[in-house]
Tab-separated table of all heavy atoms in Angstrom:
chain	number	residue	atom	x	y	z
A	131	LEU	N	5.940	76.037	68.699
A	131	LEU	CA	4.758	76.528	69.459
A	131	LEU	C	3.927	77.380	68.490
A	131	LEU	O	2.670	77.290	68.504
A	131	LEU	CB	5.212	77.401	70.609
A	131	LEU	CG	4.080	78.032	71.423
A	131	LEU	CD1	3.081	76.984	71.997
A	131	LEU	CD2	4.636	78.932	72.575
A	132	ALA	N	4.590	78.183	67.628
A	132	ALA	CA	3.801	78.935	66.623
A	132	ALA	C	3.074	78.054	65.661
A	132	ALA	O	1.882	78.335	65.282
A	132	ALA	CB	4.739	79.909	65.902
A	133	PHE	N	3.703	76.985	65.231
A	133	PHE	CA	3.016	76.125	64.314
A	133	PHE	C	1.864	75.384	65.049
A	133	PHE	O	0.821	75.099	64.473
A	133	PHE	CB	4.055	75.111	63.769
A	133	PHE	CG	3.475	74.139	62.762
A	133	PHE	CD1	2.956	74.639	61.590
A	133	PHE	CD2	3.463	72.797	62.977
A	133	PHE	CE1	2.410	73.726	60.640
A	133	PHE	CE2	2.970	71.914	61.998
A	133	PHE	CZ	2.485	72.340	60.850
A	134	LEU	N	2.053	75.049	66.308
A	134	LEU	CA	0.951	74.453	67.065
A	134	LEU	C	-0.167	75.399	67.192
A	134	LEU	O	-1.401	74.975	67.192
A	134	LEU	CB	1.503	74.048	68.480
A	134	LEU	CG	0.458	73.349	69.378
A	134	LEU	CD1	-0.004	72.073	68.767
A	134	LEU	CD2	1.132	73.073	70.751
A	135	LEU	N	0.053	76.634	67.370
A	135	LEU	CA	-1.034	77.661	67.459
A	135	LEU	C	-1.792	77.768	66.074
A	135	LEU	O	-2.986	77.934	66.057
A	135	LEU	CB	-0.453	79.058	67.851
A	135	LEU	CG	0.071	79.171	69.237
A	135	LEU	CD1	0.681	80.550	69.433
A	135	LEU	CD2	-1.060	78.936	70.259
A	136	VAL	N	-1.050	77.610	65.011
A	136	VAL	CA	-1.722	77.633	63.710
A	136	VAL	C	-2.634	76.418	63.585
A	136	VAL	O	-3.783	76.504	63.105
A	136	VAL	CB	-0.652	77.583	62.539
A	136	VAL	CG1	-1.312	77.400	61.199
A	136	VAL	CG2	0.078	78.883	62.539
A	137	ILE	N	-2.196	75.223	64.021
A	137	ILE	CA	-3.038	74.018	63.935
A	137	ILE	C	-4.238	74.218	64.846
A	137	ILE	O	-5.375	73.802	64.500
A	137	ILE	CB	-2.190	72.770	64.304
A	137	ILE	CG1	-1.109	72.586	63.235
A	137	ILE	CG2	-3.072	71.558	64.350
A	137	ILE	CD1	-0.154	71.423	63.588
A	138	THR	N	-4.022	74.847	66.110
A	138	THR	CA	-5.128	75.037	66.952
A	138	THR	C	-6.134	76.006	66.399
A	138	THR	O	-7.359	75.739	66.525
A	138	THR	CB	-4.561	75.613	68.279
A	138	THR	OG1	-3.569	74.663	68.823
A	138	THR	CG2	-5.687	75.743	69.324
A	139	ALA	N	-5.677	77.033	65.689
A	139	ALA	CA	-6.663	77.942	65.088
A	139	ALA	C	-7.448	77.230	63.972
A	139	ALA	O	-8.598	77.610	63.721
A	139	ALA	CB	-5.874	79.128	64.440
A	140	MET	N	-6.870	76.238	63.260
A	140	MET	CA	-7.593	75.503	62.315
A	140	MET	C	-8.762	74.753	62.928
A	140	MET	O	-9.862	74.536	62.375
A	140	MET	CB	-6.702	74.521	61.558
A	140	MET	CG	-5.713	75.162	60.629
A	140	MET	SD	-4.517	73.923	59.967
A	140	MET	CE	-5.694	72.700	59.364
A	141	MET	N	-8.558	74.234	64.171
A	141	MET	CA	-9.561	73.434	64.831
A	141	MET	C	-10.594	74.245	65.565
A	141	MET	O	-11.593	73.704	66.028
A	141	MET	CB	-8.907	72.472	65.824
A	141	MET	CG	-7.888	71.526	65.190
A	141	MET	SD	-7.105	70.511	66.459
A	141	MET	CE	-5.959	69.635	65.372
A	142	LEU	N	-10.395	75.563	65.688
A	142	LEU	CA	-11.282	76.443	66.455
A	142	LEU	C	-12.520	76.773	65.611
A	142	LEU	O	-12.353	77.323	64.520
A	142	LEU	CB	-10.604	77.698	66.877
A	142	LEU	CG	-11.346	78.625	67.824
A	142	LEU	CD1	-11.486	77.903	69.209
A	142	LEU	CD2	-10.573	79.915	68.012
A	143	PRO	N	-13.717	76.428	66.015
A	143	PRO	CA	-14.918	76.768	65.177
A	143	PRO	C	-15.114	78.269	65.148
A	143	PRO	O	-14.899	78.965	66.161
A	143	PRO	CB	-16.046	76.071	65.958
A	143	PRO	CG	-15.443	75.032	66.831
A	143	PRO	CD	-14.068	75.548	67.181
A	144	PRO	N	-15.492	78.798	63.993
A	144	PRO	CA	-15.686	80.287	63.901
A	144	PRO	C	-16.819	80.774	64.808
A	144	PRO	O	-16.822	81.971	65.188
A	144	PRO	CB	-15.978	80.475	62.473
A	144	PRO	CG	-16.500	79.199	61.932
A	144	PRO	CD	-15.768	78.158	62.793
A	145	GLN	N	-17.788	79.925	65.178
A	145	GLN	CA	-18.887	80.390	65.988
A	145	GLN	C	-18.434	80.701	67.423
A	145	GLN	O	-19.105	81.442	68.149
A	145	GLN	CB	-19.965	79.290	66.054
A	145	GLN	CG	-20.701	79.074	64.708
A	145	GLN	CD	-19.953	78.163	63.758
A	145	GLN	OE1	-18.859	77.659	64.107
A	145	GLN	NE2	-20.432	77.980	62.523
A	146	VAL	N	-17.351	80.106	67.848
A	146	VAL	CA	-16.862	80.382	69.222
A	146	VAL	C	-16.488	81.842	69.368
A	146	VAL	O	-16.728	82.398	70.475
A	146	VAL	CB	-15.681	79.440	69.527
A	146	VAL	CG1	-15.063	79.715	70.880
A	146	VAL	CG2	-16.170	77.979	69.483
A	147	ILE	N	-15.832	82.393	68.408
A	147	ILE	CA	-15.340	83.816	68.516
A	147	ILE	C	-16.217	84.790	67.772
A	147	ILE	O	-15.788	85.935	67.537
A	147	ILE	CB	-13.898	83.931	68.078
A	147	ILE	CG1	-13.759	83.345	66.642
A	147	ILE	CG2	-13.011	83.073	68.918
A	147	ILE	CD1	-12.402	83.501	66.010
A	148	ALA	N	-17.372	84.346	67.250
A	148	ALA	CA	-18.165	85.255	66.443
A	148	ALA	C	-18.720	86.443	67.189
A	148	ALA	O	-18.677	87.549	66.670
A	148	ALA	CB	-19.382	84.457	65.904
A	149	VAL	N	-19.130	86.252	68.495
A	149	VAL	CA	-19.727	87.369	69.241
A	149	VAL	C	-18.732	88.447	69.583
A	149	VAL	O	-18.952	89.657	69.292
A	149	VAL	CB	-20.361	86.805	70.510
A	149	VAL	CG1	-20.916	88.018	71.393
A	149	VAL	CG2	-21.538	85.903	70.151
A	150	PRO	N	-17.535	88.107	70.169
A	150	PRO	CA	-16.536	89.215	70.393
A	150	PRO	C	-16.071	89.923	69.158
A	150	PRO	O	-15.908	91.196	69.137
A	150	PRO	CB	-15.449	88.490	71.136
A	150	PRO	CG	-15.574	87.069	70.867
A	150	PRO	CD	-17.026	86.848	70.671
A	151	ILE	N	-15.833	89.176	68.088
A	151	ILE	CA	-15.402	89.780	66.822
A	151	ILE	C	-16.482	90.690	66.275
A	151	ILE	O	-16.247	91.807	65.792
A	151	ILE	CB	-14.985	88.732	65.841
A	151	ILE	CG1	-13.705	88.022	66.331
A	151	ILE	CG2	-14.745	89.349	64.485
A	151	ILE	CD1	-13.248	86.966	65.350
A	152	TYR	N	-17.772	90.261	66.370
A	152	TYR	CA	-18.816	91.099	65.892
A	152	TYR	C	-18.976	92.401	66.670
A	152	TYR	O	-19.232	93.460	66.118
A	152	TYR	CB	-20.144	90.294	65.986
A	152	TYR	CG	-21.324	91.072	65.358
A	152	TYR	CD1	-21.612	91.013	64.058
A	152	TYR	CD2	-22.143	91.857	66.218
A	152	TYR	CE1	-22.690	91.703	63.544
A	152	TYR	CE2	-23.238	92.559	65.717
A	152	TYR	CZ	-23.478	92.493	64.343
A	152	TYR	OH	-24.578	93.185	63.844
A	153	LEU	N	-18.729	92.342	68.004
A	153	LEU	CA	-18.795	93.524	68.792
A	153	LEU	C	-17.696	94.476	68.436
A	153	LEU	O	-17.879	95.763	68.455
A	153	LEU	CB	-18.693	93.153	70.280
A	153	LEU	CG	-19.911	92.375	70.839
A	153	LEU	CD1	-19.609	91.965	72.312
A	153	LEU	CD2	-21.181	93.142	70.754
A	154	VAL	N	-16.547	93.983	68.048
A	154	VAL	CA	-15.454	94.877	67.664
A	154	VAL	C	-15.757	95.619	66.377
A	154	VAL	O	-15.606	96.799	66.231
A	154	VAL	CB	-14.127	94.028	67.503
A	154	VAL	CG1	-13.053	94.913	66.855
A	154	VAL	CG2	-13.639	93.534	68.853
A	155	TRP	N	-16.316	94.893	65.355
A	155	TRP	CA	-16.643	95.529	64.116
A	155	TRP	C	-17.874	96.432	64.276
A	155	TRP	O	-17.977	97.453	63.611
A	155	TRP	CB	-16.933	94.467	63.111
A	155	TRP	CG	-15.719	93.679	62.653
A	155	TRP	CD1	-15.494	92.392	62.849
A	155	TRP	CD2	-14.610	94.226	61.898
A	155	TRP	NE1	-14.223	92.018	62.298
A	155	TRP	CE2	-13.699	93.160	61.699
A	155	TRP	CE3	-14.295	95.489	61.424
A	155	TRP	CZ2	-12.478	93.340	61.050
A	155	TRP	CZ3	-13.113	95.646	60.700
A	155	TRP	CH2	-12.209	94.566	60.536
A	156	ALA	N	-18.757	96.108	65.200
A	156	ALA	CA	-19.939	96.988	65.479
A	156	ALA	C	-19.485	98.340	66.029
A	156	ALA	O	-20.039	99.395	65.687
A	156	ALA	CB	-20.908	96.259	66.365
A	157	ARG	N	-18.482	98.307	66.931
A	157	ARG	CA	-17.986	99.517	67.435
A	157	ARG	C	-17.279	100.386	66.398
A	157	ARG	O	-17.220	101.662	66.507
A	157	ARG	CB	-17.088	99.298	68.670
A	157	ARG	CG	-17.795	98.702	69.872
A	157	ARG	CD	-16.892	98.418	71.027
A	157	ARG	NE	-17.585	97.848	72.159
A	157	ARG	CZ	-17.079	97.488	73.283
A	157	ARG	NH1	-15.690	97.586	73.443
A	157	ARG	NH2	-17.761	97.000	74.270
A	158	LEU	N	-16.713	99.721	65.464
A	158	LEU	CA	-16.068	100.424	64.314
A	158	LEU	C	-17.057	100.898	63.251
A	158	LEU	O	-16.651	101.596	62.363
A	158	LEU	CB	-14.955	99.582	63.728
A	158	LEU	CG	-13.789	99.195	64.605
A	158	LEU	CD1	-12.884	98.195	63.869
A	158	LEU	CD2	-13.019	100.445	64.978
A	159	GLY	N	-18.269	100.441	63.361
A	159	GLY	CA	-19.315	100.878	62.447
A	159	GLY	C	-19.197	100.246	61.040
A	159	GLY	O	-19.560	100.828	60.031
A	160	LEU	N	-18.691	98.970	61.009
A	160	LEU	CA	-18.433	98.258	59.709
A	160	LEU	C	-19.308	97.044	59.585
A	160	LEU	O	-18.915	96.140	58.809
A	160	LEU	CB	-16.952	97.972	59.550
A	160	LEU	CG	-16.021	99.214	59.496
A	160	LEU	CD1	-14.568	98.662	59.470
A	160	LEU	CD2	-16.323	100.011	58.259
A	161	THR	N	-20.312	96.888	60.353
A	161	THR	CA	-21.126	95.663	60.328
A	161	THR	C	-22.026	95.550	59.129
A	161	THR	O	-22.569	94.504	58.878
A	161	THR	CB	-21.934	95.510	61.620
A	161	THR	OG1	-22.712	96.689	61.881
A	161	THR	CG2	-20.965	95.290	62.821
A	162	ASP	N	-22.401	96.682	58.481
A	162	ASP	CA	-23.336	96.599	57.395
A	162	ASP	C	-22.565	96.571	55.994
A	162	ASP	O	-22.697	97.402	55.178
A	162	ASP	CB	-24.206	97.929	57.451
A	162	ASP	CG	-25.469	97.712	56.573
A	162	ASP	OD1	-25.721	96.552	56.119
A	162	ASP	OD2	-26.165	98.700	56.284
A	163	GLY	N	-21.830	95.514	55.851
A	163	GLY	CA	-21.087	95.301	54.641
A	163	GLY	C	-20.162	94.111	54.704
A	163	GLY	O	-20.236	93.293	55.735
A	164	LEU	N	-19.342	93.958	53.749
A	164	LEU	CA	-18.458	92.760	53.647
A	164	LEU	C	-17.068	92.983	54.169
A	164	LEU	O	-16.256	92.026	54.179
A	164	LEU	CB	-18.363	92.199	52.214
A	164	LEU	CG	-19.728	91.830	51.647
A	164	LEU	CD1	-19.567	91.436	50.134
A	164	LEU	CD2	-20.315	90.576	52.379
A	165	TRP	N	-16.734	94.228	54.530
A	165	TRP	CA	-15.290	94.504	54.968
A	165	TRP	C	-14.911	93.729	56.224
A	165	TRP	O	-13.708	93.405	56.346
A	165	TRP	CB	-15.127	95.989	55.113
A	165	TRP	CG	-15.090	96.713	53.845
A	165	TRP	CD1	-16.067	97.571	53.312
A	165	TRP	CD2	-14.119	96.623	52.886
A	165	TRP	NE1	-15.725	98.031	52.089
A	165	TRP	CE2	-14.563	97.413	51.724
A	165	TRP	CE3	-12.967	95.915	52.709
A	165	TRP	CZ2	-13.790	97.644	50.564
A	165	TRP	CZ3	-12.164	96.090	51.546
A	165	TRP	CH2	-12.611	96.883	50.495
A	166	PRO	N	-15.817	93.462	57.200
A	166	PRO	CA	-15.386	92.643	58.332
A	166	PRO	C	-14.949	91.197	57.927
A	166	PRO	O	-14.325	90.538	58.704
A	166	PRO	CB	-16.660	92.604	59.226
A	166	PRO	CG	-17.376	93.889	58.911
A	166	PRO	CD	-17.113	94.051	57.422
A	167	LEU	N	-15.407	90.746	56.779
A	167	LEU	CA	-14.953	89.454	56.266
A	167	LEU	C	-13.701	89.547	55.391
A	167	LEU	O	-12.927	88.541	55.349
A	167	LEU	CB	-16.071	88.828	55.443
A	167	LEU	CG	-17.431	88.665	56.061
A	167	LEU	CD1	-18.453	88.166	55.054
A	167	LEU	CD2	-17.350	87.699	57.256
A	168	ILE	N	-13.439	90.675	54.811
A	168	ILE	CA	-12.241	90.813	53.891
A	168	ILE	C	-11.004	91.285	54.625
A	168	ILE	O	-9.911	90.711	54.464
A	168	ILE	CB	-12.577	91.812	52.775
A	168	ILE	CG1	-13.798	91.298	51.902
A	168	ILE	CG2	-11.373	92.078	51.889
A	168	ILE	CD1	-14.257	92.218	50.875
A	169	LEU	N	-11.114	92.220	55.493
A	169	LEU	CA	-9.981	92.803	56.182
A	169	LEU	C	-9.227	91.790	57.094
A	169	LEU	O	-7.967	91.822	57.082
A	169	LEU	CB	-10.327	94.047	57.006
A	169	LEU	CG	-10.789	95.253	56.195
A	169	LEU	CD1	-11.249	96.376	57.112
A	169	LEU	CD2	-9.763	95.753	55.242
A	170	PRO	N	-9.868	90.889	57.795
A	170	PRO	CA	-9.085	89.971	58.590
A	170	PRO	C	-8.211	89.029	57.802
A	170	PRO	O	-7.291	88.477	58.387
A	170	PRO	CB	-10.252	89.155	59.359
A	170	PRO	CG	-11.379	90.129	59.387
A	170	PRO	CD	-11.301	90.849	58.121
A	171	MET	N	-8.502	88.842	56.516
A	171	MET	CA	-7.653	88.006	55.674
A	171	MET	C	-6.267	88.604	55.449
A	171	MET	O	-5.422	87.901	54.978
A	171	MET	CB	-8.360	87.702	54.347
A	171	MET	CG	-9.647	86.938	54.556
A	171	MET	SD	-10.483	86.559	52.970
A	171	MET	CE	-11.994	85.832	53.589
A	172	LEU	N	-6.107	89.868	55.815
A	172	LEU	CA	-4.763	90.482	55.726
A	172	LEU	C	-3.847	89.941	56.803
A	172	LEU	O	-2.601	90.115	56.701
A	172	LEU	CB	-4.908	91.979	55.864
A	172	LEU	CG	-5.393	92.754	54.634
A	172	LEU	CD1	-5.644	94.209	55.009
A	172	LEU	CD2	-4.358	92.663	53.501
Side-chain angles (χ1 to χ4, degrees):
L131 178 60
F133 184 60
L134 181 61
L135 291 177
V136 171
I137 298 177
T138 304
M140 290 173 51
M141 301 177 181
L142 188 65
Q145 293 80 5
V146 175
I147 56 176
V149 174
I151 292 180
Y152 183 87
L153 293 177
V154 171
W155 290 112
R157 292 179 180 178
L158 295 175
L160 296 175
T161 54
D162 195 13
L164 297 175
W165 289 110
L167 302 174
I168 299 174
L169 293 178
M171 295 181 186
L172 286 170

